[in-house]
Each structure stands twice: as structure tokens, then as C-alpha cells.
Amino acid sequence: MSDIEIAQQAKMKPIIGLAKEHFGIDAEHLDPYGHYKAKLSLDYVNSLGGKPDGKLILVTAISPTPAGEGKTTTTVGLGDAMNRIGKKTIMCLREPSLGPCFGVKGGAAGGGHAQVVPMEDINLHFTGDFHAIGVAHNLLSALIDNHINHGNALGIDPRRIQWKRVVDMNDRALRNIVLGMGGPANGYLREDGYDIVVASEVMAILCLATDLTDLKERLGRIVIGYKADNKTPVYARDLNAHGAMAALLKDAIKPNLVQTLENNIAIIHGGPFANIAHGCNTVTATKTALKLADYVITEAGFGADLGAEKFVDIKCRMAGLKPSAAVLVATVRALKFHGGVLKEDLNRENLGALEQGFANLERHYRNITEHYGLPCVICINHFTFDTEAELALLQDKCGALGATCIVSKHWAEGGKGAELLAQAVAETVNRHEAGCRFVYDDNLSLWEKIETIATKLYGAAQVTANAKVRAQLAAWNGDYGRFPICMAKTQMSFSTDASVKGAPSGHTVEIREVRLANGAGFIVAIAGDIMTMPGLPKVPAAEKIDIDENGRISGLF
């Protein structure tokens, strides 16, 4: 069966009863959205402050390939397995974006028999969080142009506005637009553009804010542009925008509770991309889960060079989180792709390509253990086409690294198929003290932080940028020098060239643009040709999605 067919046969339980059964949460603390999803009240979240924290486990992956790796599937399967072996566990996931859902990647609710449900709701509008984030972002956009239209008392230079608009869809036609056409009644004529919602600073702010007060203060700190001197910033609070923006987000900040196919609780909240944003679910969700469960399994987007690095250097640094271990997900098929095998040939045994592609896994593993300072269990997400010889070779090579490597069958068997993985992870967590190392020191200059990430993690020989970018970073060092870096680059490679597989070294990373995310509290460094508004492929996934006369959806995966 397809993922959606499996999900549609799930025997879900009412979420209010599950929350009470598993964690003693009374119905009065939940705002239900139907029977199977609910938001947790902030009053209840705040009431948990005095409880001890559970153990935090990060699930990350090798560099993504068209073959798929199954990071979310592994997070769900591992969480179900941990609960099966008697470990009280919650999974914390990101919310899917409609852009990739209708584009090429598909949904993000897991797969096979390791899914969160209701799958259609989660992958489509869910509880409206992304809608609220998009509206809050675009309210600020509208207020900027309205202020200029009515006399521009703040002296905003229309040529130096940094704040674009957003929509939660892949739409390349909106990357660059012109506003105000049709005469003075339609505002001030200027260039603008759209980003996807998951690249919005409002998304990053929601995911890093600790409460409503912090959320509103961060929204007020957003730099929307500059005055004519190109030095004096204009903030969202100067437009009195932050109060209304926070009001629009009053429900979006509350964590969302759903369940797995095995009726275990999962929290799904926030969803910044990891290639163009910081790639982690909300701090609120993670901290709440740590107070409720003995073990919390969370994921970070794309490969360990992106999501895991930002999880450590941005999320853990800001929120004071101390992870206990990491799980690095790989598949035989994906590693053969990194070894040069074409997608259509991945189901054939190829030990030579597997050995060559292993370099990608090895670098990610060494980054996790040596640079992030986390003990790491390698999970081989099993596919039916994997041969015994391939699995044996992979386990031998992992053993030579000194790594624990588990072949897990959660996609086919759910939590039962991941019990060996769960035992290995639990043993690893219980043997090690919680905590991680940051890749770079706060006191380095912004440019030095970028260089450190590129050379330490990506294997780059050098980092380059034009004089304008270098000057901008130098100017920001005074006020924002302690900010962490959010690298925006292709997820498909350690380099900035998506076609370069394996573990390239000696390449150059070019920083094309830098952006100040003052409310979020980091600097975005855009490398290579990465787009903050993706486009749809030639045959988008949307063409396969349908609904019948009974309201049953098909083609969603």
C-alpha cells in the first residue's frame, strides 16, 4: 500500500484521551481541532517549568538524494520502538510546507508503517500555523508600503527595503515583482519579491521564541530596511507592527499534538527549511516534550551539515538545550547514488559504488562526533532491494569507524522493526553525559564563523565573497557580531554545487548574499545558487493528487 493508504487505515484514538492516558494532560489544557489534533495551552506549557528534563535525541541524515533517506520515518519509527521497549518517549517534528508537498519532495509525515496521523491534515493545512505566519509576515509588508504611501514619516528608502512578501507555495514567477503599478492611487512604484513561508524570518522567530512576550519583542526587532543614509535601520516596531503580528500568531505559538500509527504522542510545530533557514521545530515544542517524557526524539532538516549544524549552533545555543545523542540515517540506495549510480539503477547490487559513496556518511559521522561532540548511532533505513552483501559491507565499514550501526525495518514493520535501533540508542544515551560542542565560538567575527563552517564541515579550501558582502559583514560585526550564522546552501552536496556527490574537498564556497535576521537573532549567509523561493519541477507532485466524491484524497505521499 502507499503511505496515504496505510495512513487512511489507521485506527486513531481521540487526542484528548491519548494526552490524558500517556501524560496526564487534562482536557481543559487542550484546544482540539477536530478529534485527532489539538493545541496545548501556553498556561499548561508554563506550568511544567519545575519538572526535570528528559533526554534529547537528534535524528539527522546523510546528504539527501532522489533515492530518499527517511529521516522523519526513522524519527517516528524510533519513537514508537522506544515506547515499545518501555521508554516514555515523545517525538518532536516540523510541520510540512505546501511548497514541497505539491512540488517534488512530497509530504513530511513519515512513511510506510512509521507515520504520524491524520496524515492528510498534517500535510495540508493542519492547524493553520503556516497561514498565520504568512499573514503576519505580509501584514508587515503591507504596513511598509502603506507608510511610504502616506508620507513616509520614518524616511524609509524604498530602494533599501529588505522585507519581501511570502506565500507557502513553490512559485518561481514571484521571485521578482514590481509593486505600485497603475498610478499614485496604488502606492509607490518599486521592486519587490516573494520568499516561501518557511524562509520567512517570522517562521524563524516563532520557532525560537520562548513565550508570547519574547515573540512580540523579537517581531519588533525585525529590520525592514534602511533610511537614505543606508546606515540607519528601520524596525518593525517603528511601524507599530509587532503587536498586531503577535496577535495573529497567538494560536500558532501553541504546540500541536497528534499521534503515530501506534497511538503514541507526537508534537508537530514550526517548520523552517534547513537549506534556506534553520531547519528545526520550535523551542517551545522541544522544551515542553522534555518536561513530559523521559526521552524526546527530534529531527533537523536535510543532512547533518545543514539541519544538525543549525540545531547545535543556533537552536541549542539560544535555548540552552543539551542533546544526549544523534542518530544518523542513511540508506544503501542513497549511498550508491553518492557513489555515482544513476537513480534508475539503484535497486541493483553494486558494492563498488556503495563503498565509494560511504565517504558521504563517514564525513557526516565525523562531523557529528568530532565537531558537534555527540555520540552517534548509524541507522540504515532498510529497503527491500538491499542485498545481504551490501548490508554486510556497510556494517563492516561503520564498524571500522568505531560506530554502532543498526539495520532498521520500521518502514515495513513500524516500531517492532526498530526495536534494535531503540535499544542501541537508549544504551548510547544512558552511557553519555548530555551536552554538545558548538562548531564556532561566539567571539569570532561573522566572516570567521562562515569560514569555520565551510572548512570544518564542508571540506572547503576557501570561502569567497564580493567586496559588498564582505563590507556588509564587517559593518554588522559591531552590533550583531555575536549572532550565529544560518548558512543557506544546497542540501544535495557538501559543496555549493548540487551535482557534486560524495564528500568533496578543496572546493570554494562563494557567499553570494547576506541577510540580517535581527528578530530571529542570526545572520543568513546565502551560498551558491540557493533560492529562497523554489520552483516546481516539470511534473509536480500536485498533478498526482486528487479527491473523490466521498472526500477521500489520493496521490499524497
Side-chain angles (χ1 to χ4, degrees):
M1 292 186 293
S2 67
D3 289 348
I4 193 170
E5 289 169 335
I6 293 170
Q8 287 169 341
Q9 292 188 13
K11 293 180 172 60
M12 291 186 286
K13 295 181 179 180
I15 195 68
I16 288 179
L18 271 184
K20 178 68 173 177
E21 175 189 342
H22 286 278
F23 299 105
I25 303 171
D26 292 329
E28 65 190 80
H29 302 305
L30 295 167
D31 298 328
Y33 284 62
H35 297 294
Y36 306 114
K37 52 190 189 291
K39 281 188 168 290
L40 198 56
S41 77
L42 293 185
D43 285 343
Y44 180 77
V45 169
N46 293 334
S47 74
L48 299 172
K51 292 191 173 185
D53 286 341
K55 302 284 191 179
L56 182 59
I57 301 157
L58 172 68
V59 176
T60 184
I62 63 170
S63 300
T65 71
E69 290 67 55
K71 187 169 64 274
T72 304
T73 304
T74 300
T75 302
V76 177
L78 174 59
D80 280 339
M82 294 283 283
N83 281 301
R84 283 178 67 93
I85 66 171
K87 309 294 185 183
K88 190 176 181 182
T89 302
I90 290 180
M91 292 132 277
C92 282
L93 303 170
R94 292 172 299 153
E95 299 179 48
S97 164
L98 291 176
C101 188
F102 291 129
V104 66
K105 185 176 180 288
H113 292 275
Q115 295 188 57
V116 280
V117 285
M119 182 261 218
E120 299 102 318
D121 292 3
I122 292 166
N123 279 320
L124 298 178
H125 300 291
F126 199 26
T127 56
D129 292 347
F130 280 25
H131 167 75
I133 291 165
V135 171
H137 181 115
N138 290 331
L139 170 63
L140 179 55
S141 302
L143 289 171
I144 292 167
D145 287 296
N146 183 65
H147 181 86
I148 294 171
N149 182 65
H150 288 289
N152 196 9
L154 291 172
I156 301 168
D157 187 340
R159 300 166 301 173
R160 294 182 171 88
I161 293 173
Q162 310 293 308
W163 194 254
K164 294 184 177 182
R165 285 162 163 81
V166 295
V167 63
D168 192 30
M169 195 59 59
N170 293 358
D171 193 345
R172 61 173 56 84
L174 293 177
R175 286 173 186 159
N176 297 286
I177 64 171
V178 177
L179 301 176
M181 296 179 69
N186 296 326
Y188 192 94
L189 190 69
R190 69 178 184 88
E191 293 183 19
D192 198 10
Y194 275 79
D195 289 333
I196 192 167
V197 162
V198 288
S200 167
E201 187 179 350
V202 178
M203 172 69 82
I205 287 170
L206 182 84
C207 290
L208 293 168
T210 54
D211 54 32
L212 270 171
T213 301
D214 184 40
L215 174 71
K216 188 166 78 168
E217 196 275 332
R218 285 174 176 270
L219 291 169
R221 291 204 319 249
I222 291 171
V223 174
I224 63 97
Y226 293 86
K227 300 190 177 185
D229 61 6
N230 200 24
K231 294 179 181 178
T232 306
V234 181
Y235 300 97
R237 61 175 176 261
D238 296 331
L239 292 159
N240 296 315
H242 54 310
M245 293 171 72
L248 285 167
L249 298 169
K250 72 176 180 65
D251 292 320
I253 195 174
K254 301 173 185 175
N256 305 298
L257 268 59
V258 293
Q259 63 191 283
T260 70
L261 294 176
E262 299 184 14
N263 307 121
N264 292 308
I265 292 288
I267 301 179
I268 302 182
H269 197 211
F273 277 1
N275 56 348
I276 53 182
H278 75 280
C280 305
N281 70 309
T282 67
V283 167
T284 300
T286 304
K287 286 193 166 185
T288 300
L290 286 168
K291 297 299 183 184
L292 292 172
D294 297 327
Y295 299 86
V296 174
I297 305 171
T298 191
E299 63 168 358
F302 294 130
D305 58 325
L306 286 169
E309 185 271 319
K310 295 168 187 177
F311 172 82
V312 169
D313 281 320
I314 296 177
K315 183 174 180 177
C316 291
R317 190 191 300 260
M318 287 189 187
L321 296 171
K322 294 183 177 181
S324 293
V327 176
L328 178 61
V329 182
T331 65
V332 169
R333 286 162 47 90
L335 290 172
K336 287 190 291 190
F337 186 85
H338 277 292
V341 175
L342 297 175
K343 184 180 178 182
E344 54 267 27
D345 296 326
L346 290 174
N347 292 339
R348 300 174 190 164
E349 182 176 278
N350 191 325
L351 298 179
L354 179 59
E355 187 156 10
Q356 186 173 340
F358 184 79
N360 186 270
L361 184 152
E362 180 176 356
R363 181 175 291 171
H364 283 298
Y365 178 81
R366 293 193 185 281
N367 282 345
I368 292 167
T369 56
E370 296 173 11
H371 297 311
Y372 310 155
L374 289 172
C376 181
V377 175
I378 295 172
C379 169
I380 306 305
N381 183 16
H382 183 264
F383 274 64
T384 55
F385 295 102
D386 300 345
T387 69
E388 291 301 319
E390 288 173 328
L391 293 171
L393 174 63
L394 199 45
Q395 287 181 308
D396 285 346
K397 292 190 73 64
C398 289
L401 283 178
T404 300
C405 175
I406 305 294
V407 177
S408 186
K409 297 185 177 181
H410 44 275
W411 185 89
E413 301 175 13
K416 180 182 176 182
E419 285 189 12
L420 287 177
L421 177 64
Q423 289 165 358
V425 169
E427 289 170 5
T428 300
V429 166
N430 294 332
R431 282 200 313 266
H432 293 87
E433 194 75 25
C436 59
R437 285 196 296 271
F438 302 132
V439 175
Y440 50 81
D441 189 87
D442 277 338
N443 295 320
L444 291 178
S445 71
L446 296 173
W447 181 257
E448 288 171 330
K449 291 174 184 176
I450 293 170
E451 282 188 320
T452 302
I453 294 170
T455 54
K456 268 190 179 182
L457 304 184
Y458 307 162
Q462 63 175 344
V463 181
T464 63
N466 62 36
K468 181 180 178 183
V469 168
R470 295 290 293 261
Q472 182 63 83
L473 288 170
W476 282 340
N477 272 325
D479 292 331
Y480 315 109
R482 293 184 65 83
F483 277 15
I485 297 294
C486 182
M487 291 289 282
K489 77 169 189 73
T490 178
Q491 69 272 24
M492 308 300 285
S493 174
F494 278 110
S495 74
T496 56
D497 182 348
S499 68
V500 180
K501 305 175 186 68
S505 295
H507 50 279
T508 297
V509 171
E510 180 188 5
I511 305 301
R512 179 170 54 84
E513 180 186 351
V514 288
R515 297 182 182 178
L516 170 62
N518 190 44
F522 54 67
I523 303 293
V524 181
I526 300 176
D529 296 325
I530 192 71
M531 292 287 183
T532 50
M533 168 52 81
L536 291 170
K538 185 176 182 180
V539 183
E543 294 184 10
K544 302 184 183 77
I545 297 172
D546 201 0
I547 188 168
D548 65 19
E549 64 275 12
N550 298 313
R552 192 176 181 87
I553 295 173
S554 60
L556 191 62
F557 65 96

